[in-house]
Amino acid sequence: METPLTLTATSTLLSAGPLLFAPDTSPDGAAVLFAADVSQATIFAFELPSETTGDAGDGAGGPEGATAEAAADVRVDRFGTKVAALLGVEREDAVVRGIAVHPTSHAVYLSVARGHGADAGPAIVRVGTDGELSVVELDALPATTFELDDAPAADDERTDVWLDGTDPASAPREIYGVTLDIAQVPVRRSTITGLAWVDGTLFVAGLSNEEFSSRLRQIAYPFEASATETSVEIYHVDHGTYETQSPIRALTSFDNGSSILASYTCTPVVQFSVADLRGEGLVRGRTVAELGPMNQPFSIVSYDRDGEEFLLVSNTRHPLLKIPASTIDGQSHLDQPLSDDGASRGVPREELPQPGITWMAALDRDSIVVLQAAGDDTHLRTLHADEL
């Protein structure tokens, strides 16, 4: 399917969305930052100049050929207040929509909306290893773009449900004694909900203009003129039904790139074989876990501890959850409603004591940078494997 391609971007982002770095840098040290512009249904690929570990907040480049070093801890107290001041908005109007870590310098990049709703302006904020914040001047960077051709139209009357409380339409609603902030938003607002990378290919999750609207798209980089677009189906254990219109909320590459692990609202975890995602018909994922209802995941990341891989899932309502990666392969597909006697919740999981964690990204295989709500503000913190 042909999809419009722009080789040089002459305009920049109009909305904030998910971020992802390509894992490898070019021979001169340049790194590629993918930024989703949801309002334009477009992926921007910005080419950032060379950075090395220890670069200050201005992003100045290091020596050519420098290699990655162990990641330094990232800590910014009262990050919410500081980023709002940087962007000239009230603290509650600086809304994080994505997070990524530079593959060489380990600087943290955050996609931040200047306000709530579809018209909120975007910014990419860089946090150097020294904790200094700066706005990335996107218009000065070389960039290419890829526009999705399967995005819902602006006048599509279908809606998606958000539970993260960030939309102006969010309103408290009590369900089974639990009060949730619920917003119904146009499906176009969920055109791009997450990004992942597998062997030179960008995976883009979100909703489409198709009847079976939940999609995983594969876009080769450097961008080519077409994308492989696959509608995906899951069995939702808590809802007790197969679903094709629920968007993936968080995803990561898994099993050495042979599969994608994804999480959804209310909160199934589903594995998709990359080999099955060929753009041919509807592909059913294998549900391996049910993490609990009335919840929306923010991020799913992996890390290593004592020679074993683990996954972390951060959530709007549930605690930070830890899953041993080794248990996923042997988990049979869950296709029985939780309401049935003896229904399984799938792979084992552990509730971790760190509260208030939302967005996460791996600094390296041993540490995770997180955005954590505490007191009356949010803070950037580093969590190490030995404390998880």
Side-chain angles (χ1 to χ4, degrees):
M1 184 177 294
E2 294 299 313
T3 305
L5 171 67
T6 304
L7 292 179
T8 301
T10 56
S11 61
T12 191
L13 299 177
L14 297 183
S15 65
L19 296 180
L20 183 75
F21 271 102
D24 299 318
T25 58
S26 67
D28 64 358
V32 175
L33 175 66
F34 297 105
D37 186 331
V38 180
S39 67
Q40 298 187 88
T42 296
I43 304 295
F44 283 71
F46 294 102
E47 186 175 315
L48 276 63
S50 175
E51 298 181 11
T52 59
T53 303
D55 281 345
D58 62 1
E64 184 173 340
T67 57
E69 301 174 19
D73 284 7
V74 176
R75 183 182 180 93
V76 181
D77 294 330
R78 304 194 71 82
F79 171 81
T81 295
K82 291 176 181 178
V83 75
L86 180 69
L87 300 180
V89 299
E90 298 295 324
R91 182 173 59 81
E92 61 270 17
D93 290 330
V95 182
V96 174
R97 298 290 187 191
I99 186 171
V101 173
H102 191 283
T104 304
S105 71
H106 306 297
V108 179
Y109 285 70
L110 299 105
S111 173
V112 185
R114 290 182 166 100
H116 302 257
D119 297 327
I124 304 297
V125 174
R126 181 186 188 274
V127 183
T129 54
D130 55 4
E132 291 297 313
L133 278 63
S134 60
V135 175
V136 180
E137 298 298 334
L138 299 176
D139 288 338
L141 297 174
T144 55
T145 63
F146 193 100
E147 181 182 355
L148 303 178
D149 70 349
D150 64 347
D155 60 355
D156 193 318
E157 296 182 352
R158 294 175 297 175
T159 60
D160 185 27
V161 175
W162 290 5
L163 302 181
D164 63 2
T166 63
D167 190 78
S170 294
R173 179 180 172 187
E174 185 173 315
I175 301 176
Y176 298 118
V178 177
T179 300
L180 303 174
D181 285 326
I182 298 179
Q184 287 190 308
V185 303
V187 289
R188 187 173 176 88
R189 297 276 305 280
S190 295
T191 298
I192 304 171
T193 55
L195 305 173
W197 180 267
V198 177
D199 295 334
T201 297
L202 183 68
F203 282 70
V204 181
L207 294 179
S208 73
N209 55 13
E210 298 292 331
E211 177 185 1
F212 301 142
S213 57
S214 186
R215 274 279 169 97
L216 268 174
R217 302 110 168 170
Q218 295 158 262
I219 307 169
Y221 185 80
F223 291 146
E224 299 177 353
S226 63
T228 300
E229 302 159 340
T230 306
S231 293
V232 292
E233 179 183 48
I234 65 162
Y235 187 78
H236 199 302
V237 177
D238 183 63
H239 297 171
T241 185
Y242 281 96
E243 297 184 355
T244 60
Q245 298 183 348
S246 300
I248 292 169
R249 298 294 181 190
L251 72 161
T252 187
S253 61
F254 185 67
D255 197 16
N256 295 315
S258 66
S259 66
I260 293 291
L261 205 62
S263 188
Y264 292 71
T265 299
C266 288
T267 314
V269 177
V270 182
Q271 186 178 22
F272 294 95
S273 169
V274 169
D276 293 338
L277 301 172
R278 300 188 300 269
E280 301 171 356
L282 186 64
V283 170
R284 178 175 295 175
R286 182 170 64 95
T287 302
V288 297
E290 168 54 52
L291 302 183
M294 294 181 281
N295 175 69
Q296 182 173 311
F298 282 101
S299 301
I300 180 169
V301 299
S302 70
Y303 69 98
D304 297 331
R305 177 176 178 175
D306 299 328
E308 184 177 353
E309 181 183 8
F310 294 91
L311 297 148
L312 290 182
V313 184
S314 56
N315 305 283
T316 56
R317 192 175 75 89
H318 298 328
L320 183 64
L321 297 172
K322 172 184 175 181
I323 298 171
S326 60
T327 64
I328 291 175
D329 185 55
Q331 175 62 53
S332 59
H333 173 55
L334 303 181
D335 59 0
Q336 185 178 5
L338 276 185
S339 56
D340 287 2
D341 290 340
S344 173
R345 293 182 180 270
V347 298
R349 75 294 312 262
E350 177 185 350
E351 296 184 2
L352 298 183
Q354 293 85 355
I357 291 175
T358 56
W359 296 100
M360 307 186 297
L363 280 173
D364 55 24
R365 294 305 302 167
D366 301 313
S367 54
I368 310 293
V369 62
V370 303
L371 190 64
Q372 184 174 29
D376 62 350
D377 213 329
T378 56
H379 316 272
L380 273 181
R381 297 282 188 264
T382 299
L383 302 180
H384 295 279
D386 59 7
E387 59 186 309
L388 295 172

